[in-house]
Amino acid sequence: MTDEIIPAKEIKDILIQAWSETNSLRPRFVDLGSNETTLRIDLDRMLVPTQGKQDLVVIYPGGTMLEEPIGNWTYAHRTYFVNIDLYSIQSRQRLYNLMAEIRRILHFKMHHTPGFQRIQFKSYEETYDENLTLWVGTVEVELINSAVLMETTV
């Protein structure tokens, strides 16, 4: 049996490989739940302006992680959801530039990703708190495999 593909790790690898430094400086990437990270992030240590890393991209499973139909099917559609949180202490414009670069990469890699037939940029939501000098946004990504043969052998 081959290992199942982990959608959040796949998205992180795609973003790191395709990030264009000419469009936007590379942020720090974190895949929550992977072997090297925990579910707690200290933003005071991660977003230090003197280290040149003022932006953080956190990738994690979103909502329903896997959807399959109910019933006696030979083939089914599988849909995976991944969220990407963007953090910047630089500016609101920087937050939008990060989102635009992620959207560009996901559109470019839409049908050219191992393990998935389609990756789709679904939505972007910005969170605002006037008391903080921290800009936060969330990108929702959908990964789809259509008409996949169900595992029916015993």
Side-chain angles (χ1 to χ4, degrees), residues 4-72:
E4 189 78 16
I5 294 173
I6 301 172
K9 181 186 179 313
E10 189 75 18
I11 293 292
K12 178 184 174 189
D13 292 346
I14 288 168
L15 292 177
I16 289 172
Q17 291 169 1
W19 198 271
S20 171
E21 291 283 342
T22 58
N23 291 341
S24 183
L25 293 174
R26 183 188 306 264
R28 180 175 291 160
F29 291 92
V30 174
D31 174 10
L32 286 186
S34 65
N35 295 340
E36 69 273 1
T37 58
T38 62
L39 294 176
R40 179 172 182 235
I41 295 176
D42 185 355
L43 292 175
D44 289 331
R45 291 182 55 209
M46 296 293 284
L47 299 173
V48 180
T50 57
Q51 295 177 350
K53 293 289 186 185
Q54 299 181 1
D55 309 305
L56 180 64
V57 174
V58 179
I59 303 160
Y60 59 95
T64 304
M65 192 53 216
L66 172 63
E67 285 184 352
E68 283 190 349
I70 297 173
N72 187 12

Side-chain angles (χ1 to χ4, degrees), residues 107-121:
H107 287 172
F108 178 70
K109 294 288 191 175
M110 182 180 289
H111 297 293
H112 304 287
T113 304
F116 298 98
Q117 294 168 348
R118 186 175 78 227
I119 294 179
Q120 186 171 346
F121 180 98

